[in-house]
Amino acid sequence: MDLLHRVLLTALGAFSVFYALVKISLGYWKRRGILHEKPKFLWGNIKGVVNGKRHVQDALNDIYAGYKGRAPFVGFYACLKPFILVLDLKLVHQIVFTDAGHFTSRGLYSNPSGEPLSANLLQLDGHKWRALHAKSAEVFTPANVHKLLARLTQISARIQSDLGRESLQTRNISELVSAYSVDVMASMAFGLAGQDHEEFAKWTRNYWADFKLWRAYLALEFPLIARLLQYKSYAEPATAYFQKVALSQLQAQRRRDRQPLQTFLQLYSNADQPLDDVEIAAQSFGFLLAGLAPLNASLGFCLYELARQPELQERTRREIKRTLEQHGGQVTAECLRELRYTKQVLNETLRLHTPYPFLVRRATKEFELPGSVFVIARGNGVLIPTAAIHRDPEIYEDPERFDPDRFEEEAKRSRPPAAFLPFGDGLRGCIAARFAEQQLLVGLVELLKGHRYAPCAETTIPMEYDNRRLLLAPKSDIKLNVERID
Ligand code: HEM
C-alpha cells in the first residue's frame, strides 16, 4: 500500500470514529427515552447561538415555548453536551429550594492551582464551594450590606459630576453607568482609592481577551485534561493585575487601624474564620466576574425603559425627590426601603431584560421527580430558563410591555413563587443580591433626581441584544438625550 492510500485510510478511520462519537453523544436523550429537541450534527440545538445569529435566551425561549406543558423538562444539546431544560415552575422550585441539596454544583470549569483567581464562589463546586459559601454568608449579612451604604453613596456622587451642568446633551448611557459600577467594584471589592480606577477600568474590559469558545467548551467537557494542560479561562496579565491589587490592598489595610468598614476585603479578613489572602483575592475577582456586567446592564436597560415612558419616569422621580426630602437629602437605608415604586421599576427591568437569562445546575445525586416516572440522572446539566419564564404570557400578561405595576404586592402574591428569579435563589443564588439591589437603587437615585432622559436619534428601538454574550447586554451602547432639571 502506498503512502497516499495509508493517509486516506487513516483519515477515513479517524472520521468514522469522530462521526460515531458525535452520534453517540447526540443519542443520549433518545437512549434514555426522554422527550427532547432533535439535534443537528455537531451543533446540537444551539447552531444559531454559536455563530452569533441569535441570542442564547431566544434559543432557550423557543424550546421552552415549544415544549411547555408536555413534560416537566425537555432534553436538548448545547453542541454535543446534553442538558435538561426545566419547563415546570414546580420543578424549578424543587431544584432551587426544596431539593437544592441534589443540585449544589454548576459544573463550570475552574483551575485553582494554575489560575488561583478561578477559585471563586461562582466557579467552584463541591466541598470547596460549601466551605467558601459558609464563610461568604457571614460577609453578606444584612447588617454588613447596611454598613457599606455610606461608601456607596459617596461613590455615587460621581454620577452628578459625570453628567455635568449642561442643560441638554446626548449621552452614552452605557458608559455613564459603567463608570459608576466599575468605581463600586474597584473600591468595594478591591479596596482601591478613586485615583487608581482608570487602570482598573481598563483591565475590567480585557480579562476575556484570550477567550476562545471552542477551548472553553473543551475545558467544560474534559476538565481533568484541561487542568493537566493548565488551561486558563482568563488573560494572564489581567488576573495578575487583579491579584496584585487585592493582595497589596489587603496588606495596606492591615497597616491602617480603626478604619471604617467599607470593603469586602475588610469584611472577609475580619470574619471569624478568615480566608487566606489569595482566597480573598479570588472572591474579589469572582464579584467582578459575576456582578459587573449585570449591574451595567440593569441600570442601562432601566433608563432606556424610563426614557420611553415619560409618565413612569416622572412618577419614579417624584417618589425619589419626596423620599429624599423626608430624609434631609440623605440616602439612608430607611430612605431606600421607602422607594417602593422605584424598586418596582427595577424589578420590572430585571424581568423584561433578565441579565442572567438562565440558571445552571448540575445534579450531584440522582433525583426522582416526586409522583412521576421522570428521573434527573447524576451528572446531568440542568438549565432553568429564567428569561423565558419572565416572558411567559401565562405568567405575565402582555409580557413585552414594561409595566412596574406587576410588582405591586398583590400582583406578586398572585404568581407562583419561582416565577421571578433574576438573582437565582436558594443555596446557589446570588450571594450579593441585597447588595446589588442597594447599589442599583443608589445609582438610580443619583441618575434620576436632577436629570430627565428621553430617546434620541441614536437610540436603538426596539432593543437589540449582543448575541456574542451569554449575559444580556445591549448590542450597541445605549444613547439617550439627557436634560438637566433644576
Ligand atoms: C443586577 C445585578 C446582579 C444580578 C442580576 C445577579 C444575578 C446572579 C445570578 C442569576 C446568579 C446565579 C444564581 C443561581 O445560580 O441561582 C448569581 C450568582 C452570583 N453572584 Fe450575582 N448578580 C448581580 C450582582 C452581583 C454582584 C454585585 C456581586 C458581587 C458583589 C455578585 C456576586 C455573585 C456571586 C459570587 C455569585 C455566585 C454565588 C454562588 O454560586 O454561591 N452578583 N448572580
Side-chain angles (χ1 to χ4, degrees):
M1 205 169 12
D2 64 18
L3 186 64
L4 182 65
H5 273 111
R6 276 196 206 168
V7 171
L8 280 176
L9 271 180
T10 315
L12 191 68
F15 180 76
S16 308
V17 171
F18 174 70
Y19 184 83
L21 285 176
V22 171
K23 282 299 212 189
I24 290 171
S25 300
L26 293 178
Y28 177 80
W29 293 122
K30 198 169 180 190
R31 287 196 299 282
R32 283 203 41 208
I34 291 208
L35 179 71
H36 62 280
E37 175 92 342
K38 197 165 173 240
K40 298 241 174 356
F41 188 73
L42 269 186
W43 305 117
N45 306 107
I46 59 158
K47 184 168 179 204
V49 177
V50 177
N51 61 23
K53 291 217 169 103
R54 59 196 316 224
H55 197 276
V56 65
Q57 83 165 5
D58 296 330
L60 297 183
N61 199 11
D62 285 354
I63 304 178
Y64 175 83
Y67 289 88
K68 190 187 157 208
R70 289 170 62 186
F73 63 81
V74 62
F76 80 102
Y77 299 88
C79 296
L80 304 183
K81 202 169 171 59
F83 274 100
I84 276 169
L85 189 81
V86 183
L87 304 168
D88 172 28
L89 286 191
K90 234 170 43 206
L91 181 56
V92 173
H93 196 260
Q94 283 161 342
I95 291 172
V96 172
F97 298 103
T98 42
D99 296 285
H102 290 67
F103 301 96
T104 50
S105 286
R106 279 210 180 90
L108 302 182
Y109 174 75
S110 75
N111 175 15
S113 63
E115 194 175 39
L117 296 197
S118 69
N120 59 62
L121 209 52
L122 184 76
Q123 288 177 260
L124 284 181
D125 280 335
H127 65 277
K128 285 189 182 152
W129 169 79
R130 271 186 188 283
L132 194 53
H133 183 261
K135 290 181 182 175
S136 303
E138 274 182 50
V139 165
F140 285 91
T141 59
N144 281 345
V145 170
H146 183 185
K147 283 180 200 150
L148 299 176
L149 179 59
R151 180 80 188 112
L152 206 51
T153 53
Q154 274 170 10
I155 298 171
S156 71
R158 89 161 276 172
I159 292 178
Q160 290 307 325
S161 60
D162 279 2
L163 280 167
R165 302 202 56 82
E166 267 181 78
S167 53
L168 188 62
Q169 52 182 323
T170 298
R171 285 299 298 255
N172 183 323
I173 297 298
S174 303
E175 280 177 5
L176 180 75
V177 297
S178 162
Y180 164 59
S181 314
V182 167
D183 264 8
V184 174
M185 279 291 163
S187 172
M188 298 200 156
F190 287 84
L192 276 178
Q195 67 276 16
D196 304 322
H197 290 187
E198 215 167 291
E199 194 185 0
F200 183 88
K202 184 191 91 187
W203 286 112
T204 62
R205 293 188 290 272
N206 289 343
Y207 61 87
W208 287 116
D210 298 340
F211 182 78
K212 295 271 180 303
L213 187 67
W214 64 269
R215 279 196 310 185
Y217 179 77
L218 287 178
L220 270 184
E221 276 287 277
F222 308 105
L224 291 178
I225 299 176
R227 274 181 213 120
L228 266 176
L229 297 173
Q230 287 298 331
Y231 168 71
K232 297 185 174 65
S233 306
Y234 315 106
E236 264 186 288
T239 45
Y241 168 79
F242 288 122
Q243 180 157 332
K244 187 186 80 189
V245 169
L247 296 184
S248 63
Q249 290 303 316
L250 278 163
Q251 277 161 17
Q253 175 182 298
R254 289 194 187 105
R255 289 195 294 271
R256 300 188 288 260
D257 51 296
R258 299 173 62 82
Q259 53 195 330
L261 272 173
Q262 291 187 329
T263 72
F264 294 125
L265 294 180
Q266 288 166 302
L267 291 170
Y268 267 107
S269 52
N270 289 358
D272 287 345
Q273 294 170 301
L275 301 174
D276 71 33
D277 284 6
V278 176
E279 287 171 326
I280 297 179
Q283 303 328 304
S284 299
F285 180 69
F287 298 156
L288 191 69
L289 195 66
L292 189 58
L295 287 168
N296 285 340
S298 309
L299 275 183
F301 290 136
C302 188
L303 287 187
Y304 167 87
E305 291 297 343
L306 290 179
R308 294 184 60 203
Q309 299 208 50
E311 357 36 271
L312 302 189
Q313 189 183 148
E314 281 314 316
R315 184 172 167 192
T316 316
R317 182 175 303 104
R318 271 201 306 278
E319 179 185 73
I320 288 174
K321 286 180 121 173
R322 192 182 57 238
T323 316
L324 278 176
E325 267 164 35
Q326 284 162 359
H327 291 270
Q330 301 298 312
V331 182
T332 58
E334 185 61 32
C335 165
L336 294 184
R337 256 195 303 279
E338 287 169 20
L339 292 176
R340 289 192 189 87
Y341 187 71
T342 314
K343 213 164 147 190
Q344 283 175 224
V345 167
L346 262 183
N347 281 340
E348 178 63 349
T349 307
L350 293 168
R351 179 197 70 81
L352 189 57
H353 307 282
T354 308
Y356 279 69
F358 56 89
L359 309 177
V360 195
R361 298 286 188 277
R362 191 172 58 186
T364 43
K365 300 176 225 172
E366 183 177 280
F367 180 64
E368 276 180 45
L369 275 63
S372 84
V373 292
F374 293 100
V375 172
I376 298 179
R378 181 163 180 252
N380 276 167
V382 177
L383 292 194
I384 298 173
T386 33
I389 294 170
H390 294 169
R391 285 168 181 243
D392 182 338
E394 287 176 12
I395 306 172
Y396 296 95
E397 201 187 314
D398 194 4
E400 299 295 322
R401 190 165 49 90
F402 184 83
D403 177 9
D405 289 348
R406 299 180 201 273
F407 287 91
E408 280 177 353
E409 282 309 316
E410 208 182 318
K412 276 198 306 193
R413 272 198 300 273
S414 71
R415 290 191 289 268
F420 184 58
L421 292 172
F423 292 100
D425 215 325
L427 276 178
R428 286 229 71 158
C430 178
I431 191 116
R434 209 176 282 114
F435 173 77
E437 204 172 73
Q438 177 171 283
Q439 179 174 341
L440 292 171
L441 279 176
V442 169
L444 269 188
V445 168
E446 277 307 314
L447 285 159
L448 286 170
K449 70 181 184 190
H451 292 84
R452 187 175 289 134
Y453 301 80
C456 65
E458 293 168 73
T459 313
T460 311
I461 300 176
M463 176 57 67
E464 289 175 14
Y465 301 118
D466 186 347
N467 293 345
R468 293 160 307 160
R469 294 170 192 240
L470 284 181
L471 298 196
L472 211 63
K475 186 173 174 188
S476 52
D477 283 357
I478 298 174
K479 303 217 177 110
L480 296 173
N481 278 342
V482 184
E483 184 191 344
R484 195 180 145 79
I485 10 179
D486 291 322

